[in-house]
């Protein structure tokens, strides 16, 4: 006889947490001991409970996995791009889950050189990720970072591309990003603090020497800043950046003389953000200087970089967010956002040309692609929409002709974009603000409240969730689901003020916006509380966690992936990765005003005795961004207090971190589990 697995009950050990004369009792604080066997046993018990209760969907999950995988072209290749005499291509082979990085000299007809076959490298590991592949200027060497734990701590390896052998030296605890000086022997890299994982130090390594001889070039002592290093597109300068949420600072040195001291570009000023590109004796500076909330473009000579020398080139506009620039020999390309929509603007340096690329709907995403070459009239960009697969397009800035280099193939023979519809609608927030929602669904469904709808949200760090195409999402749409992206405050969908209105002491706007979007979708007949589902990951997990505490009756189910839910305790612990660098996002709870405000919305602190929706929560044991114990504690507390018989599952991937499983298709298995959870609640069995 089959033994029924009962819901795990974590033991209660009252932990008193006292600050600002306010006492909090945390009954599950003990779950933060990653190596403790009792903790591991609890996580294992939750996994077994999840597996048992979802066992009747296993065949369906496998079918969903195969269905989603079948839409993806397995023997796929990236669009080739040429750099320093070589064409670079990333490709996949049928039956293999990891990329193969290759190049061909001068011509695409030349013989292929395999730089790195990640399938071979990944064989001994449960998790494998390579990043930051960086080729030396003379094309003979490659440096790259490897993570085999999923904590985003990369070990740098260096390969001789002539002999195919690896250099003996390896560099531990890095970001995996490497920058070569022009002498082909000097490398710069970024070290991470082994405890907090903050990127805090830039080091210089000389090829062929011991890592113990590496030189500390710059160390950032302010714990709210992270550092990084890169080379300008002009190949002229190596730059060190230090950034916090609201403040930037850069240093630079001539890439031909990498042993010299770095010169500061502009000293940090609280609230001054800037980044720069170099071209033809000038730096071009994207900045919020002089109250340019939505950013403007300035320029200065390379020997006069202080702010007092900056001159405005593209002025600030209150209705347009200037997001990025691409610099070419004769053209400047601006990536902008107006009324939530991506815009690509092309200007000739001599002022004779200034125009926008035409886009014709409200649910698309357009973005600059790989544009390494200076001396070209061709600009590459990507385009997709909620109903249109991704294309990489090459556009001639002189003649304005364009050619599609690659269109995303949706295999299986069933997809026709004409079978789907998308639209943008606007909900009204509590304070009267209009909140945009991007929707996609299969044509012909009834808008009578009977349709299941999955509402996705994020709303933090100024990160915008653009309306993008997804082959996996078709498995939802083809079974009658509507998919909605709520562009809530805290992102930058409607410009920088949209972000400012959803952080710090305005963070609650993010949650109420999401709720107002749900109410609007119900009112307009897109769905009903019996068929509405909320989903968010990381800071989006905080969003859905806060929402289901305050309005649980609105949702039939919630999926929270790697959710940041124990806000107060985490932000009070400066030993946890990312904490101190995020005071400008959430506030510093060591200050009473921010502490009390956080405490009012923190999902873990606000679990109460009430009914909750059906909930699936996922995490990774090695997560470096949201520690596994936050969702684990949250589930334990929900299980202890909730008054309903709805489903509550915690699934911990014991081998991975914040990004989930590695390998091209392994992540689809996790997605199939999430979809099966939704379909099961809707009574959809195939």
């Amino acid at each position: 006889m089959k033994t029924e697995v009962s819901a795990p009950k974590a033991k209660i050990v009252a932990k008193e947490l006292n600050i600002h004369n306010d006492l909090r009792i945390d009954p599950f604080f003990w779950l933060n001991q990653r190596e403790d066997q009792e903790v591991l046993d609890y996580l294992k018990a939750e996994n077994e409970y999840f597996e048992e209760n979802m066992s009747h969907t296993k065949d369906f999950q496998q079918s969903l996995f195969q269905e989603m995988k079948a839409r993806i072209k397995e023997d796929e290749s990236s669009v080739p791009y040429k750099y320093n005499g070589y064409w670079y291509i990333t490709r996949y082979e049928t039956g293999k889950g990891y990329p193969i990085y290759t190049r061909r000299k001068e011509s695409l007809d030349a013989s292929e050189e395999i730089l790195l076959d990640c399938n071979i490298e990944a064989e001994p590991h449960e998790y494998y990720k390579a990043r930051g592949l960086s080729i030396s200027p003379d094309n003979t060497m490659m440096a790259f970072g490897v993570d085999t734990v999923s904590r985003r701590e990369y070990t740098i390896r260096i390969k001789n591309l002539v002999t195919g052998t690896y250099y003996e030296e390896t560099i531990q605890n890095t970001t995996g990003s490497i920058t070569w000086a022009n002498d082909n022997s000097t490398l710069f890299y970024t070290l991470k603090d082994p405890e907090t994982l903050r990127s805090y130090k830039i080091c210089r390594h000389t090829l062929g020497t011991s890592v113990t001889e590496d030189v500390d070039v710059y160390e950032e002592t302010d714990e709210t800043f992270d550092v990084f290093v890169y080379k300008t597109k002009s190949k002229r300068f190596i730059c060190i950046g230090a950034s916090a949420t609201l403040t930037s600072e850069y240093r630079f040195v001539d890439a031909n003389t990498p042993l010299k001291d770095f010169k500061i570009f502009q000293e940090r000023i609280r609230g001054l953000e800037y980044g720069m590109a170099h071209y033809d004796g000038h730096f071009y500076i994207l900045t919020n200087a002089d109250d340019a909330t939505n950013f403007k473009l300035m320029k200065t000579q390379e020997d006069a970089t202080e702010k007092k020398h900056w001159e405005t080139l593209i002025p600030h506009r209150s209705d347009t967010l200037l997001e990025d620039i691409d610099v070419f020999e004769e053209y400047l390309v601006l990536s902008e956002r107006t009324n939530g929509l991506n815009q690509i603007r092309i200007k000739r340096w001599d002022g004779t040309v200034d125009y926008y690329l035409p886009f014709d709907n409200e649910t698309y995403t357009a973005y600059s692609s790989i544009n390494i070459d200076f001396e070209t009239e061709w600009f590459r960009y990507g385009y997709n929409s909620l109903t249109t697969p991704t294309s990489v397009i090459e556009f001639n800035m002189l003649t304005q002709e364009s050619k599609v280099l690659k269109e995303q193939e949706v295999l299986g023979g069933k997809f026709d974009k004409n079978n789907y519809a998308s639209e943008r609608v606007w909900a009204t927030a509590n304070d009267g603000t209009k909140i945009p929602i991007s929707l996609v669904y299969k044509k012909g469904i009834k808008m009578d409240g009977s349709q299941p709808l999955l509402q996705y949200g994020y709303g933090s760090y100024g990160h915008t969730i653009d309306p993008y195409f997804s082959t996996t999402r078709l498995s939802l749409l083809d079974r009658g689901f509507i998919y909605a992206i709520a562009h809530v405050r805290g992102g930058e969908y409607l410009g920088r003020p949209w972000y400012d209105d959803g952080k710090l002491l305005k963070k609650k706007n993010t949650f109420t916006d999401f709720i107002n979007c749900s109410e609007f979708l119900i009112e307009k007949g897109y769905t009903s509380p019996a068929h509405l589902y909320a989903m968010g990951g990381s800071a989006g997990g905080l969003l859905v966690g806060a929402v289901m505490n305050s309005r649980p009756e609105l949702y039939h189910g919630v999926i929270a992936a790697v959710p940041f839910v124990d806000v107060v305790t985490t932000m009070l612990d400066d030993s946890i990765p990312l904490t101190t660098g995020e005071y400008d996002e959430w506030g510093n709870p060591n200050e009473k005003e921010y502490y009390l405000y956080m405490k009012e919305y923190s999902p873990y602190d606000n679990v109460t005795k009430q009914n909750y929706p059906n909930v699936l929560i996922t995490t990774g044991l090695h997560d470096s961004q949201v520690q596994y114990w936050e969702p684990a504690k949250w589930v334990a507390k929900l299980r202890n207090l909730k008054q309903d018989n709805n489903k509550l599952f915690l699934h911990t991937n014991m081998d991975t971190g914040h990004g989930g499983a590695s390998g091209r298709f392994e992540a689809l298995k996790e997605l199939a589990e999430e979809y099966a959870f939704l379909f099961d609640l809707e009574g959809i069995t195939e």
Side-chain angles (χ1 to χ4, degrees), residues 265-368:
F265 190 91
Q266 162 59 49
E267 289 185 355
R268 65 188 64 175
I269 300 171
R270 170 75 175 173
L272 174 65
E273 300 173 61
Y274 70 93
M276 74 279 191
H278 176 260
Y279 170 64
D280 193 26
H282 290 85
F283 284 103
Y284 293 84
I285 305 139
L286 188 63
T287 180
N288 69 343
D290 310 316
D291 298 318
T293 306
N294 274 332
F295 288 75
K296 62 181 176 179
L297 186 65
M298 307 183 78
K299 67 179 289 189
T300 192
Q301 294 183 2
E302 62 186 42
D303 59 354
T305 61
E306 295 87 356
K307 180 176 176 289
K308 63 184 179 182
H309 300 295
W310 300 358
E311 299 175 357
T312 297
L313 189 64
I314 305 291
H316 173 259
R317 290 156 291 170
S318 60
D319 64 345
T320 298
L321 175 66
L322 181 56
E323 294 187 313
D324 206 355
I325 63 171
D326 282 283
V327 174
F328 297 88
E329 184 178 32
E330 295 185 13
Y331 295 90
L332 171 66
V333 179
L334 308 170
S335 295
E336 303 177 348
R337 186 183 296 273
T338 302
N339 194 31
L341 305 180
N342 300 127
Q343 307 281 352
I344 295 176
R345 181 182 180 186
I346 295 174
K347 289 175 61 72
R348 196 178 175 97
W349 287 115
D350 62 12
T352 60
V353 169
D354 188 348
Y355 60 91
Y356 286 86
L357 298 186
F359 302 115
D360 59 1
N361 66 66
E362 291 189 333
T363 58
Y364 70 88
T365 299
Y367 51 91
S368 172

Side-chain angles (χ1 to χ4, degrees), residues 419-436:
N419 292 334
Y420 303 89
S422 65
E423 59 180 312
R424 185 170 66 161
V425 296
W426 299 77
T428 303
N430 294 339
D431 61 4
T433 302
K434 296 295 184 180
I435 312 298

Side-chain angles (χ1 to χ4, degrees), residues 413-580:
K414 297 180 180 179
F415 173 73
D416 180 349
K417 67 180 181 181
N418 296 310
N419 292 334
Y420 303 89
S422 65
E423 59 180 312
R424 185 170 66 161
V425 296
W426 299 77
T428 303
N430 294 339
D431 61 4
T433 302
K434 296 295 184 180
I435 312 298
I437 309 168
S438 296
L439 294 162
V440 62
Y441 45 85
K442 198 165 186 178
K443 290 179 179 177
I445 64 173
K446 296 179 180 179
M447 300 298 184
D448 59 0
S450 64
Q451 298 299 134
L453 186 149
L454 179 59
Q455 180 180 327
Y456 184 86
Y458 188 74
S460 292
Y461 306 108
H463 178 64
T464 297
I465 305 297
D466 281 310
Y468 64 95
F469 182 79
S470 166
T471 61
T472 56
R473 190 188 299 135
L474 296 173
S475 293
L476 287 175
L477 304 183
D478 289 346
R479 290 173 174 84
F481 265 77
I482 300 170
Y483 186 82
I485 303 171
H487 302 291
V488 295
R489 281 174 283 188
E492 277 186 346
Y493 186 80
L494 291 178
R496 188 57 179 264
W498 202 247
Y499 170 39
D500 293 337
D501 281 347
K503 68 176 183 179
L504 296 173
L505 298 176
K506 296 181 179 180
K507 188 64 213 171
K508 291 181 187 177
N509 284 339
T510 303
F511 317 135
T512 54
D513 283 358
F514 191 88
I515 290 169
N516 294 146
C517 288
S518 298
E519 293 171 331
F520 172 86
L521 293 169
I522 292 169
E523 177 190 348
K524 297 301 181 181
Y526 289 98
T527 191
S528 64
H531 301 287
L532 177 57
Y533 302 89
M535 184 175 183
S538 194
L542 161 63
L543 164 60
V544 297
V547 162
M548 76 180 209
N549 273 336
S550 59
R551 294 295 303 277
E553 77 283 357
L554 278 179
Y555 307 95
H556 189 48
V558 172
I559 296 177
V562 292
F564 172 43
V565 287
D566 192 12
V567 183
V568 178
T569 302
T570 291
M571 293 304 297
L572 281 168
D573 187 351
D574 59 14
S575 71
I576 293 176
L578 305 181
T579 292
T580 55

